[in-house]
């Protein structure tokens, strides 16, 4: 049985050329859900959008929308046209973006998000060198522990730890972040250096997301997995803050090696129980999946990758 074709009300022969502004108005109205919502989003009079869609219908000879005083309903023909129109407008926008990216000097705004970094200004250093290399690109940074929804909040690029399980994102892996124990030389001089994991129970520890002043740490070494319950005077929810507290002699901290090894290289931290460590999560540079990544975003991604990845490799080499 032949497939039924959409019913259309034709009043004229289809024109050779259709005004793209009218097509865009139709798509904007459907994406917004109403003429009023689209008018507010575009900053245009509602009457202008209504006229544009009506003229598009006359040009096409097809009824795209059924209008009533209470609701707006798309026709079967309108739905078919909407799908093709949205795709075509997207291709035109992509073509324009590619042309812009051929400029001799990359420019524009890149919105970036990442976690706080108090361990040695790893991220700040990479961003500073990027600003020197590409002065016409403006980077807006959202530094937060919150897991930002890149698509919903219009963010171009993120530094993110953990599993990459969002199909709407594309990631470039920087490396893995093992965790190890670190303390300041002053703390160890005053309290002694533990030789076994169990001895941590008699030390002050900097807690990361502990509960009621206590936490359980599990590390691996020559004897396999070992655990110990630790306690400490301060509990934080930020690893950068934990690193700073360890630097100030508050206690022993359980830190990603990307944080701790910087302190070790500067003589400000000492690796405690160096034969033991714990597995950490992977770290990625991620961006929304798109057919065309703007050149300014790709430049920042690649610059951060080239600047930060060697730090992960160096930390892994110390384990």
């Amino acid at each position: 049985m032949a497939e039924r074709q959409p019913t259309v009300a034709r009043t004229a022969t289809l024109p050779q050329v259709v005004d793209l502004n009218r097509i865009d108005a139709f798509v904007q109205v459907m994406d917004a859900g109403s003429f009023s919502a689209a008018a507010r989003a575009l900053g245009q009079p509602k009457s202008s959008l209504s006229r544009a869609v009506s003229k598009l219908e006359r040009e096409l000879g097809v009824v795209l929308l059924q209008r009533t005083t209470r609701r707006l309903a798309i026709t079967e023909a309108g739905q078919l046209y909407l799908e093709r129109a949205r795709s075509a407008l997207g291709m035109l926008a992509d073509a324009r973006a590619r042309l812009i990216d051929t400029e001799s000097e990359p420019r524009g705004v890149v919105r970036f998000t990442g976690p706080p970094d108090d361990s040695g200004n790893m991220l700040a250093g990479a961003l500073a060198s990027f600003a020197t290399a590409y002065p016409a690109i403006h980077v807006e940074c959202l530094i937060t522990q919150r897991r930002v929804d890149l698509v919903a909040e219009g963010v171009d690029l993120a530094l993110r730890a953990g599993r990459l399980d969002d199909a709407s994102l594309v990631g470039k892996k920087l490396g893995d972040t093992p965790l190890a124990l670190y303390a300041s030389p002053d703390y160890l001089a005053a309290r002694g250096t533990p030789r076994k994991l169990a001895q941590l129970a008699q030390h002050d520890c900097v807690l990361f997301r502990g509960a009621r002043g206590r936490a359980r740490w599990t590390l691996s070494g020559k004897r396999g997995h070992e655990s110990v319950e630790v306690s400490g005077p301060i509990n934080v929810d930020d690893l950068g803050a934990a690193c700073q507290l360890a630097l100030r002699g508050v206690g022993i901290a359980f830190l990603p090696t990307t944080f701790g090894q910087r302190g070790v290289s500067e003589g400000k931290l000492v690796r405690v129980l160096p034969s033991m460590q714990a597995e950490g999560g992977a770290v990625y540079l991620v961006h929304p999946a798109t057919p065309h990544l703007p050149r300014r975003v790709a430049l920042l991604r690649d610059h951060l990758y080239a600047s930060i990845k060697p730090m992960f490799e160096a930390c892994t080499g110390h384990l």
Side-chain angles (χ1 to χ4, degrees), residues 142-184:
L142 177 60
I143 305 300
T144 177
Q145 287 284 2
R146 179 172 63 87
R147 198 172 184 84
V148 175
D149 186 327
L150 303 190
V151 176
E153 299 185 42
V155 175
D156 300 298
L157 188 66
L159 181 66
R160 182 162 292 177
R163 293 177 57 189
L164 187 61
D165 53 7
D166 189 337
S168 68
L169 301 178
V170 176
K172 194 169 185 178
K173 187 176 178 180
L174 287 165
D176 296 301
T177 55
L179 293 96
L181 301 169
Y182 298 91
S184 71

Side-chain angles (χ1 to χ4, degrees), residues 98 109-114 147-161 163-174 283-305:
R98 289 175 184 269
V109 176
V110 180
R111 299 195 69 213
F112 169 81
T113 185
R147 198 172 184 84
V148 175
D149 186 327
L150 303 190
V151 176
E153 299 185 42
V155 175
D156 300 298
L157 188 66
L159 181 66
R160 182 162 292 177
R163 293 177 57 189
L164 187 61
D165 53 7
D166 189 337
S168 68
L169 301 178
V170 176
K172 194 169 185 178
K173 187 176 178 180
L174 287 165
V283 178
Y284 298 87
L285 284 166
V286 303
H287 59 79
T290 176
H292 170 63
L293 187 67
R295 184 183 175 204
R296 62 187 180 276
V297 179
L299 286 171
L300 179 58
R301 178 200 62 190
D302 294 344
H303 184 88
L304 293 178
Y305 183 84

Side-chain angles (χ1 to χ4, degrees), residues 110-131:
V110 180
R111 299 195 69 213
F112 169 81
T113 185
D117 171 32
D118 294 328
S119 63
N121 297 318
M122 172 181 70
L123 185 58
L127 290 171
S129 58
F130 181 81

Side-chain angles (χ1 to χ4, degrees), residues 45-112:
K46 175 182 173 182
S47 57
S48 297
L49 290 177
S50 181
R51 284 195 298 271
V53 174
S54 294
K55 289 179 179 179
L56 176 63
E57 290 178 315
R58 287 197 295 271
E59 287 179 340
L60 295 174
V62 173
V63 176
L64 301 173
L65 300 174
Q66 296 288 356
R67 303 166 178 83
T68 68
T69 55
R70 294 187 177 182
R71 62 189 296 268
L72 186 68
I74 191 169
T75 64
E76 189 175 359
Q79 183 63 48
L80 181 65
Y81 190 73
L82 175 64
E83 294 170 2
R84 304 298 191 276
R86 186 183 283 127
S87 175
L89 290 173
M91 292 176 66
L92 288 172
D94 179 68
R96 181 177 181 276
R98 289 175 184 269
L99 286 175
I100 292 173
D101 276 352
T102 62
E103 291 180 343
S104 57
E105 183 180 20
R107 61 181 63 249
V109 176
V110 180
R111 299 195 69 213
F112 169 81

Side-chain angles (χ1 to χ4, degrees), residues 130-144:
F130 181 81
T132 300
Y134 302 100
I137 298 178
H138 176 71
V139 182
E140 292 186 354
C141 294
L142 177 60
I143 305 300
T144 177

Side-chain angles (χ1 to χ4, degrees), residues 182-193 246-251 263-264 266-272:
Y182 298 91
S184 71
D186 289 345
Y187 174 86
L188 296 176
R191 298 289 301 275
T193 300
L247 287 166
R248 287 163 172 75
V250 172
V264 171
E266 295 175 350
K268 297 177 180 179
L269 289 176
V270 174
R271 177 84 180 266
V272 177

